[in-house]
Amino acid sequence: MADDVKAPTWKETLVDPLIANNPVMIQVLGICSTLAVTSSMKTAFVMSLSVTFVCAMSNLLVSSTRNFIPSSVRIIAQMTIIASLVILVDQILRAFAYDLSKQLSVYVGLIITNCIVMGRTEGFALKFPPLPSLLDGIGNGLGYGLVLCLIASVREIFGSGSWFGMTLFETVNNGGWYVPCGLLVMPPSGFFLVGLLIWLVKSYRKDLIEAPEYKTHKGGC
Amino acid sequence: MPKLNKDSVFGTFVIIIAFCLVCSVLVSSAVVMLDPFKAAAITTDRQLSILKVAGVTPGKNVSDTYNKYITARLIDMKTGMLTDDASDVAGAYNFASLAKQPDTSIAIPADKDYAGIRTMAQKMPVFYVKDDAGNTTRIILPFYGQALWSTAYGYLALDPDLNHIVAITFYSHGETPGLGGEIDNPRWQALWVGKRLFNDNGEYRFLIAKTPDKVGEGKDYEVDSLSGATLTARGVDNAVRFWMDYAYKAFFDNNRTTTEEIN
């Protein structure tokens, strides 16, 4: 490895992915699962933990073996590691949190195709030593988890009147006063909320707005 | 030993094979080691659902409570007779997967297939709930059918008269939380309690209706549908109709006769 590649500091790897380089809000990766598992806090939380674990461990393993991975088949080598880790997580959930694994259904298995994991191993772990890679994996997993939990909080509180399954507003169906917002429990609402979140973050942090890649013609007809 | 060039064809093969071997050993050993835990989790989950419709509060050890109050048997669906299989075999009987195999399933005639499941297993479990004195207090029958997005699986607990509903639960479905997922709502499930499946002539009369009859003749048979979940409720209605009016018919007929003989 060339010595002139400067390894990023722990702050860049661990803290930046939370907001400034958030995998969901800024890199816009992993949107599929963001929509699918955020209707309740419990599933979103377990999904965040699973992705953080897979992301951290795959980064660590890919980085540890980066000097052995032949570059022509590096994607396959990364996929092998990621897939093994995901199967491991899926099996552990099935054995010790059967109820939750039923709710998450296919989405645990689909962590394999979550672009965040692949993006980090390919974009970071192949270039840098194990320790920064591990931190980078944890940071990105937490950044993903942060967005997931924010969206799930809004969706569960206003869509079902509860948070982590604890009732906050008694819904009409249960004899209370709160009429839940049906839209929020449907997957499209996750999309709207991601959009709103990106808007919010970028209007507060103007430096995160990318320069336009091309100009459009502003003229009339 | 000459240094292995990782980017040569030979090196690529060696390294990838090594990678795959290590990963497959890791994955397969994890799967094998976790197998007993997974099996236990599935069993506990099933026993909890059954205890729920049985109206029994599970104690510290779920399987102890289950074994104390629940006896499972298998029904031969062709004849409606109980088989000689033991309770643990019947309880663990995986009817959903056996229904998909040609030699253990029965094809359902299209005009009777209200539940949209095409085939059913040749045998189905039935769970007898006994009280402390050993008397049968409830009879639990599994049922399932196509709802809106998924197949919904549930248990229906009946009075020993095999007519009055005492409890219902769904143990697996993929309906939208908050809409079709409200079939899990205890308040809705409570509406089922005390309803009758059959009228005095033994004809199937149970119905999930948008505007249930609350005062007239229908009040004993009709359950209010779920608002915002018309198709899920219709699927549940069809599933119950298929199993109770068609699939378990022979079992119902046999056991009604037995009761009369005793009397």
Side-chain angles (χ1 to χ4, degrees):
Chain A
M1 263 288 156
D3 285 346
D4 55 353
V5 183
K6 194 178 157 291
T9 62
W10 70 269
K11 188 194 154 289
E12 281 171 327
T13 54
L14 194 60
V15 183
D16 276 6
L18 292 184
I19 301 286
N21 194 19
N22 188 287
V24 183
M25 291 187 293
I26 307 301
Q27 302 170 31
V28 200
L29 296 175
I31 296 295
C32 167
S33 55
T34 309
L35 307 191
V37 299
T38 50
S39 59
S40 78
M41 209 35 214
K42 239 188 236 167
T43 50
F45 186 70
V46 172
M47 188 69 178
S48 308
L49 285 184
S50 310
V51 169
T52 307
F53 172 79
V54 171
C55 204
M57 291 310 291
S58 62
N59 255 11
L60 179 70
L61 291 175
V62 168
S63 167
S64 318
T65 52
R66 70 189 187 286
N67 294 331
F68 303 101
I69 298 177
S71 59
S72 55
V73 290
R74 63 182 195 285
I75 303 279
I76 294 168
Q78 293 167 42
M79 278 328 270
T80 315
I81 292 178
I82 295 169
S84 310
L85 286 166
V86 170
I87 296 171
L88 202 65
V89 169
D90 190 35
Q91 294 293 324
I92 291 173
L93 282 181
R94 266 168 213 237
F96 300 109
Y98 184 73
D99 206 35
L100 276 171
S101 88
K102 266 204 314 198
Q103 286 176 42
L104 284 166
S105 66
V106 296
Y107 292 102
V108 176
L110 284 178
I111 297 176
I112 297 176
T113 58
N114 191 322
C115 304
I116 298 170
V117 183
M118 190 82 200
R120 290 333 287 174
T121 56
E122 171 75 8
F124 193 95
L126 272 182
K127 300 191 191 99
F128 298 110
L131 190 64
S133 297
L134 177 69
L135 291 178
D136 182 77
I138 296 174
N140 277 279
L142 292 178
Y144 170 80
L146 181 74
V147 175
L148 233 62
C149 290
L150 277 176
I151 294 174
S153 296
V154 176
R155 287 182 69 182
E156 197 184 340
I157 292 172
F158 296 105
S160 323
S162 59
W163 196 67
F164 261 113
M166 298 175 299
T167 307
L168 297 182
F169 313 138
E170 197 71 63
T171 56
V172 171
N173 283 356
N174 290 331
W177 56 273
Y178 183 64
V179 183
C181 175
L183 175 67
L184 281 175
V185 295
M186 307 290 281
S189 73
F191 212 45
F192 302 148
L193 288 170
V194 175
L196 288 172
L197 206 59
I198 294 176
W199 185 18
L200 196 78
V201 167
K202 289 199 173 173
S203 34
Y204 182 67
R205 293 273 307 264
K206 294 266 195 269
D207 55 308
L208 296 177
I209 303 172
E210 304 113 69
E213 281 172 18
Y214 54 87
K215 286 209 166 73
T216 43
H217 184 56
K218 294 260 167 51
C221 316
Chain B
M1 185 189 149
K3 195 175 176 333
L4 184 70
N5 178 5
K6 72 180 174 76
D7 285 319
S8 71
V9 175
F10 178 70
T12 307
F13 268 103
V14 169
I15 289 165
I16 281 300
I17 288 170
F19 250 87
C20 293
L21 276 179
V22 172
C23 287
S24 54
V25 168
L26 187 86
V27 166
S28 46
S29 49
V31 171
V32 171
M33 278 192 299
L34 289 171
D35 227 25
F37 295 101
K38 276 185 295 178
I42 291 169
T43 309
T44 310
D45 189 65
R46 193 190 63 239
Q47 293 181 344
L48 277 174
S49 303
I50 292 170
L51 288 176
K52 193 179 149 205
V53 279
V56 179
T57 320
K60 212 172 251 171
N61 187 325
V62 175
S63 76
D64 283 354
T65 320
Y66 176 87
N67 290 331
K68 185 173 171 201
Y69 293 105
I70 312 284
T71 313
R73 301 292 299 274
L74 284 178
I75 307 170
D76 186 323
M77 295 305 276
K78 282 219 175 82
T79 61
M81 304 297 276
L82 294 178
T83 66
D84 297 329
D85 294 288
S87 181
D88 53 336
V89 178
Y93 195 75
N94 192 344
F95 54 85
S97 90
L98 290 169
K100 293 187 184 114
Q101 290 159 21
D103 49 337
T104 51
S105 64
I106 309 173
I108 302 163
D111 60 322
K112 293 290 180 191
D113 189 12
Y114 318 117
I117 52 178
R118 292 195 288 277
T119 56
M120 62 177 176
Q122 284 171 355
K123 297 173 189 172
M124 286 296 282
V126 54
F127 303 90
Y128 293 90
V129 187
K130 314 263 182 190
D131 61 12
D132 288 317
N135 303 315
T136 302
T137 53
R138 295 179 182 192
I139 296 172
I140 300 169
L141 293 166
F143 71 97
Y144 63 98
Q146 198 62 38
L148 173 56
W149 304 115
S150 63
T151 308
Y153 294 83
Y155 291 116
L156 193 66
L158 298 175
D159 229 35
D161 71 355
L162 291 175
N163 192 358
H164 287 82
I165 296 170
V166 276
I168 180 172
T169 193
F170 294 91
Y171 62 93
S172 168
H173 70 80
E175 301 303 297
T176 319
L179 298 172
E182 288 293 297
I183 55 174
D184 283 337
N185 190 321
R187 294 180 78 92
W188 186 65
Q189 294 179 348
L191 297 176
W192 291 57
V193 177
K195 299 292 183 221
R196 294 169 62 184
L197 291 173
F198 306 98
N199 66 14
D200 292 336
N201 302 327
E203 288 153 352
Y204 184 81
R205 177 66 180 81
F206 180 78
L207 183 68
I208 299 176
K210 198 159 83 181
T211 46
D213 186 353
K214 284 183 179 148
V215 283
E217 163 280 325
K219 76 173 188 320
D220 290 342
Y221 310 99
E222 295 182 10
V223 166
D224 200 352
S225 187
L226 283 163
S227 49
T230 311
L231 293 174
T232 304
R234 194 175 294 161
V236 171
D237 184 50
N238 287 335
V240 174
R241 177 187 306 271
F242 166 76
W243 287 99
M244 302 304 148
D245 189 24
Y246 175 76
Y248 290 125
K249 198 172 182 40
F251 172 74
F252 281 150
D253 289 346
N254 287 339
N255 286 280
R256 278 203 210 97
T257 348
T258 351
T259 332
E260 277 162 24
E261 277 165 6
I262 294 165
N263 293 341

